[in-house]
Amino acid sequence: MSTDLLIAVVITVIGASTPILIAALGELVVEKAGVLNLGVEGMMLIGAVTGFIVMFTTGNPWLAVFAAAVAGLLSSMIFAFLTLSLSANQVATGLALTIFGTGFSALAGQEYSARPVGIFRSVFPAELAGHPVWRLVFGHSPLVYFSLIMVFVVWWFLKRTRPGLILRAVGENDLSAHSIGYSVISIRYAAVAFGGAMAGIAGAAFPLLLTPQWAERMTAGRGWIAVALVVFASWRPFRLLAGAYLFGLVMTVELYSKAGGGPLSAVPAELWAAMPYIATVVVLVLISLRRAGSTSAPACLGKPFLATN
Amino acid sequence: MMKFNRRNVLVLGGAAAALPLVGGRALAQDGPLKVGFMYIGTINDNGWNYAHNQGRIYLEEQLGDAVETTYVENVPEGPDSERVLRELAQSGHKLIFATSFGYGDYVLKVAQQFPDVKFEHATGYQRSDNVATYNARFYEGRAVCGTIAGHMSKTGKGGYIGSFPIPEVVMGINAFALAARKVNPDFTMTPVYISTWNDPAREADAARAMVDQGIDIIAQHTDGPAALQVAEERGIVGGFGQGADMSAFAPNAQLTSIIDNWGPHYVEAAQAVIDGTWTSGDRWPGLKEGEVQIGAYNEKIPEDVVAAAEAVKNGQIDGSLHIFTGPINDHTGAERVAAGETMTDEQLLTMDWYVEGVIPPA
């Protein structure tokens, strides 16, 4: 394999991994606060269609990403209101949000399907990315750098800051956090909002980074991979980074080996397609074995919080 | 027109409508003929489903008040399709078009229960008294594209993004490769199957994998313009619009397009049901009947290449050329069709082997 090809593969892997990573980082924070939002796929689609429409009408990718984040955030507030304020079942509400997002994005995007937009390109001057190796450093869309920075930011926030500690406390033991005076509900609202914004940005990566068009259901299940990835990474940001790139690698290498021949093309397509899920199951088994029956899931994950006063 | 699709129902009805629903029962009566359409994807895909929906609109325009049409979008090729078919049949639709290969078994099953409803299954091969099949000879269009590819490709390597290795797709790959190799005997074709009809990001990644490995002509059998957009961005020789003209997405890269024109068939079938002359059978028209059309040629194609492409097109229209005429070897080099022999439609519709020059997938 030549260097050029290797770099090309890496660049495609990065592209395929970025939206999954962004969405999963958001979901990680949400779950750390003890909330399970299964609406990631729907929020991503709402972000994707919003990002596309803003990009199409204004031509400004920064504005498009911002609008997608706001749209994702607003849609997550529906979920937050139902599950946090009204204590509705989180699993059912999350699924409903995905279904709503699928239908809403299809409706909003109806007039936009036959229209191309520009790609959100690297902000560095093209000369910097001339050589293939430098292309690896400077050749990416700002969304790629954003995703990598956010891995660090989320890690730092959860591990090293006081608000991060409080957020984790809310996810591990909501009653204790409540009893020492923290507002469990507001903290969870904030976490869900962050998750929604990240899912919106992840969705916008589809029309802005991967394939500059709007197509119904264009996220094609990546939101679910993001949810699975959080478990796969046992709620740790850097493991999440590794997991997202592993998923991206598997998805991409499959295509490269099919298109170019080579030993990997002997692996049946169905096995490739099943690989990420097999990996998830294996990791879950490993985690469970290590902790003697317990997982590293936040203790209050998915449980409604009802303050007695 | 009655419009029940997932989108509207979802927005109005919320979660309960996750499955395709067709509401409103009507009794069979002497009103307009109710015609149902079941699509695998969205009508806004600019490709396969878009083309079928254009056919439906054409049907309404042509027959006016004599017909009333309904369509259901995004119906997966599984048990869901059986329910949609049954609901269409129960709500008074007397003619139902199921427009994807994987609906076949369900069409047959539901058709047994509704003997007075006529079903037509696109790209299928299973028929009964009230189930007809219809298709278009897309391979004729593929042969025209392959001719252009043989002339234009610099690397001599073409790629083909397919969904599933069904005969319809295999046939298209083979026709493309046969035509390209008549021009350039060293031309190779690499199929990449992505196991879905609609995942634009994955189509784009498949196209990237091809471009990065020296493929400079990409044809696709999936439903959208994603691969063409990658071709445009990377500046390779080009690709082809599938189902509809896609030049808006790739003005430089789209060499030409294969346009599906289902309208005339839908009018004919509906008229036959109204007249009581409908019979089961298989209908498979192509370029000659105008059901398959070749779009405009890109300006960058030299005149002699356009002439060669036109010759292939016209040869297929007047019957002097059939791309599946021997000698044809399979990918191992063994002869499959003897010189001078032409494959029968039956053989084409069950094609499960690749011609020489196609690098077979695992």
Side-chain angles (χ1 to χ4, degrees):
Chain A
M1 202 188 239
S2 70
T3 322
D4 279 6
L5 179 55
L6 193 65
I7 289 169
V9 173
V10 172
I11 286 175
T12 309
V13 170
I14 292 173
S17 313
T18 295
I20 303 175
L21 177 59
I22 297 175
L25 277 171
E27 180 68 9
L28 186 144
V29 172
V30 176
E31 292 191 14
K32 271 290 184 189
V35 182
L36 180 66
N37 185 354
L38 295 180
V40 179
E41 178 85 357
M43 297 188 293
M44 279 173 79
L45 281 166
I46 289 174
V49 76
T50 310
F52 182 90
I53 293 172
V54 172
M55 182 69 179
F56 182 77
T57 41
T58 68
N60 184 340
W62 299 93
L63 199 59
V65 171
F66 179 74
V70 172
L73 190 155
L74 289 176
S75 63
S76 76
M77 285 300 102
I78 305 172
F79 173 86
F81 177 72
L82 289 169
T83 58
L84 302 177
S85 298
L86 304 180
S87 298
N89 181 294
Q90 293 181 5
V91 172
T93 312
L95 291 173
L97 179 57
T98 285
I99 295 163
F100 168 76
T102 308
F104 177 82
S105 61
L107 180 75
Q110 222 163 9
E111 300 305 316
Y112 292 91
S113 63
R115 313 200 170 159
V117 289
I119 288 182
F120 193 8
R121 287 180 197 287
S122 167
V123 286
F124 299 108
E127 300 82 59
L128 266 181
H131 188 275
V133 177
W134 287 114
R135 218 172 101 201
L136 270 185
V137 184
F138 295 115
H140 306 293
S141 166
L143 287 167
V144 173
Y145 303 108
F146 170 77
S147 69
L148 297 174
I149 293 167
M150 285 312 283
V151 173
F152 180 79
V153 170
V154 167
W155 169 82
W156 173 79
F157 171 79
L158 290 175
K159 237 357 200 230
R160 293 273 184 271
T161 68
R162 196 177 162 76
L165 181 69
I166 297 166
L167 185 137
R168 281 190 289 141
V170 165
E172 293 296 340
N173 195 330
D174 46 12
L175 280 174
S176 306
H178 177 67
S179 65
I180 54 172
Y182 293 113
S183 167
V184 171
I185 297 296
S186 347
I187 290 163
R188 287 187 173 169
Y189 256 99
V192 170
F194 175 77
M198 291 290 273
I201 295 171
F206 283 82
L208 295 176
L209 173 67
L210 298 175
T211 175
Q213 57 166 322
W214 163 250
E216 267 181 44
R217 299 154 184 251
M218 70 187 303
T219 54
R222 308 277 195 305
W224 294 108
I225 295 184
V227 173
L229 209 57
V230 177
V231 183
F232 178 95
S234 50
W235 293 270
R236 294 174 189 201
F238 284 102
R239 251 187 231 178
L240 193 67
L241 173 69
Y245 275 73
L246 180 70
F247 274 54
L249 184 76
V250 170
M251 295 195 294
T252 306
V253 169
E254 174 197 355
L255 294 172
Y256 273 83
S257 62
K258 280 180 181 169
L264 285 175
S265 61
V267 182
E270 292 78 6
L271 187 59
W272 278 115
M275 211 83 95
Y277 308 100
I278 295 173
T280 305
V281 171
V282 170
V283 168
L284 284 178
V285 169
L286 290 178
I287 293 170
S288 307
L289 287 178
R290 198 191 50 197
R291 299 270 170 94
S294 89
T295 67
S296 42
C300 294
L301 184 59
K303 290 181 194 149
F305 175 71
L306 294 163
T308 37
N309 60 47
Chain B
M1 187 198 77
M2 277 165 55
K3 185 170 161 187
F4 289 106
N5 57 36
R6 283 228 245 187
R7 172 185 306 148
N8 295 356
V9 176
L10 277 174
V11 170
L12 298 171
L19 309 165
L21 295 172
V22 178
R25 248 172 230 215
L27 295 168
Q29 53 195 311
D30 286 318
L33 172 71
K34 289 178 81 178
V35 185
F37 290 80
M38 184 164 81
Y39 305 137
I40 186 160
T42 140
I43 57 167
N44 295 319
D45 69 352
N46 294 303
W48 179 257
N49 299 292
Y50 169 83
H52 280 286
N53 197 52
Q54 290 302 108
R56 183 189 62 79
I57 292 167
Y58 180 83
L59 168 65
E60 288 204 327
E61 284 167 2
Q62 293 298 308
L63 298 187
D65 293 340
V67 291
E68 188 180 306
T69 69
T70 308
Y71 65 90
V72 189
E73 293 176 282
N74 290 320
V75 183
E77 292 175 329
D80 241 13
S81 66
E82 181 180 333
R83 203 192 57 253
V84 174
L85 286 166
R86 187 169 292 123
E87 283 172 0
L88 281 169
Q90 280 171 345
S91 54
H93 295 83
K94 291 293 161 207
L95 175 62
I96 297 170
F97 293 100
T99 66
S100 193
F101 178 80
Y103 296 147
D105 295 342
Y106 305 101
V107 173
L108 278 188
K109 199 169 159 189
V110 176
Q112 264 183 353
Q113 298 158 350
F114 295 91
D116 61 331
V117 177
K118 316 295 183 207
F119 293 81
E120 295 216 359
H121 178 215
T123 70
Y125 61 93
Q126 306 172 89
R127 284 174 289 279
S128 70
D129 283 349
N130 58 334
V131 178
T133 50
Y134 67 105
N135 199 350
R137 293 182 189 267
F138 297 115
Y139 70 82
E140 294 182 345
R142 300 281 177 195
V144 177
C145 296
T147 307
I148 297 172
H151 280 283
M152 299 285 290
S153 173
K154 296 188 184 81
T155 61
K157 287 159 86 176
Y160 200 105
I161 301 174
S163 49
F164 304 97
I166 55 174
E168 174 67 26
V169 176
V170 171
M171 200 192 318
I173 294 169
N174 286 339
F176 194 105
L178 285 171
R181 284 168 71 87
K182 280 189 182 160
V183 180
N184 173 4
D186 296 324
F187 192 88
T188 61
M189 202 62 190
T190 305
V192 170
Y193 292 109
I194 60 167
S195 305
T196 168
W197 288 106
N198 187 24
D199 182 345
R202 195 149 176 75
E203 288 167 42
D205 279 349
R208 289 185 184 106
M210 290 175 170
V211 176
D212 287 337
Q213 298 183 88
I215 286 169
D216 67 355
I217 293 268
I218 299 175
Q220 82 277 8
H221 212 121
T222 42
D223 295 341
L228 269 174
Q229 286 185 306
V230 173
E232 180 85 10
E233 192 200 341
R234 296 292 181 90
I236 61 165
V237 174
F240 303 93
Q242 151 77 350
D245 183 85
M246 296 178 175
S247 56
F249 292 94
N252 294 310
Q254 180 181 288
L255 298 172
T256 186
S257 52
I258 302 175
I259 298 170
D260 308 354
N261 180 28
W262 299 104
H265 172 67
Y266 289 151
V267 171
E268 203 181 297
Q271 192 62 53
V273 172
I274 292 169
D275 299 344
T277 57
W278 188 95
T279 51
S280 172
D282 182 49
R283 209 173 150 280
W284 202 15
L287 282 170
K288 187 177 155 199
E289 295 83 358
E291 192 151 315
V292 178
Q293 295 170 345
I294 300 296
Y297 295 102
N298 193 307
E299 283 172 5
K300 73 179 179 185
I301 305 179
E303 270 175 41
D304 59 321
V305 177
V306 171
E310 282 288 296
V312 169
K313 181 174 117 184
N314 293 328
Q316 295 182 101
I317 290 175
D318 65 27
S320 62
L321 173 75
H322 193 298
I323 194 68
F324 288 106
T325 302
I328 301 175
N329 296 342
D330 67 15
H331 74 271
T332 64
E335 188 181 88
R336 292 297 283 258
V337 183
E341 261 180 49
T342 298
M343 291 178 73
T344 62
D345 286 356
E346 191 65 39
Q347 285 171 324
L348 288 178
L349 287 169
T350 53
M351 199 165 202
D352 59 354
W353 51 276
Y354 296 100
V355 301
E356 205 166 21
V358 177
I359 298 163

